[in-house]
Structure formats: C-alpha cells, structure tokens
Amino acid sequence: MTEDNHAALDTRRKRLLYRANHRGTYENDLIIGGFVKTRIAALSAQELDEIEIVMEFPDAELADWLTGRKSIPPHADSPMLRRIREAAEVGGASLRKNQACQDGEGA
C-alpha cells in the first residue's frame, strides 16, 4: 500500500468512526460506535465498505435488529450486520454482569 493510499484509508477510518458514534440515536451510537471503535485499526477497506452499507439503514430498524427485538430481514442480512449484532449481544451480557456485581448480586 502506498503512502497516499494509507493516508486515504486512515482518513476514511476517521470519518467512519465519527459517523458510527454520531448516528442520531444513543442506542446505535453505543452499539455501532462501540463495534467500530474497538476494531477500526484492523478493518480492511472491504470491511469498511460493509459497515458503510449497514449504516445506510434507518436507525430504528438497526436498533431493532442489533438488539434482537426483531429478526434481521433477508434484504438486510449480511455477515457484517451479524458481526455487529453478535458483538452487541456479548457486550450487553458483560454490561449486565457488571451491573449485577455493582448491585451486590454477583458477590
């Protein structure tokens, strides 16, 4: 990868990170933003394309799909959308466990 290509990819990553953290709904900011933030440095150009496609869906639909309130419909289903949902499920379980410990339930 040339220096110009590397710089362009870095700029693209920064823009994607900003978009992922400023979706318009707090829930999606946490889910999508958290996913992107922890993985951004390692994502390939193809994976960035895939995340950008996911982020084109309306926030309300994404929130429903990513939290499991609704199934992902066939027209929207993709490996990247499933990766984000799986990360949200794992992250949600960790948050619930931490909260239980703070509330004294895990002792």
Side-chain angles (χ1 to χ4, degrees):
M1 181 177 287
T2 68
E3 191 171 322
D4 287 340
N5 288 346
H6 187 66
L9 191 56
D10 283 345
T11 299
R12 185 174 175 204
R13 284 186 173 117
K14 288 176 188 175
R15 287 183 179 154
L16 182 62
L17 181 59
Y18 181 85
R19 283 185 59 211
N21 282 292
H22 297 85
R23 295 284 310 159
T25 64
Y26 185 66
E27 190 171 38
N28 283 338
D29 289 352
L30 292 175
I31 295 171
I32 299 170
F35 179 87
V36 171
K37 182 179 180 182
T38 59
R39 295 162 177 81
I40 193 72
L43 293 173
S44 68
Q46 175 64 38
E47 290 170 315
L48 297 178
D49 290 342
E50 293 168 7
I51 291 173
E52 289 171 337
I53 291 167
V54 167
M55 291 190 344
E56 291 300 317
F57 290 105
D59 274 350
E61 291 177 12
L62 278 174
D64 285 343
W65 302 334
L66 294 174
T67 60
R69 288 187 297 251
K70 292 185 179 178
S71 298
I72 299 171
H75 77 276
D77 197 12
S78 71
M80 182 57 71
L81 186 54
R82 282 184 261 122
R83 278 180 64 189
I84 297 169
R85 184 180 63 191
E86 289 166 8
E89 289 170 353
V90 170
S94 295
L95 288 174
R96 287 187 295 278
K97 182 178 177 183
N98 287 341
Q99 185 61 46
C101 288
Q102 290 174 0
D103 292 344
E105 296 172 18

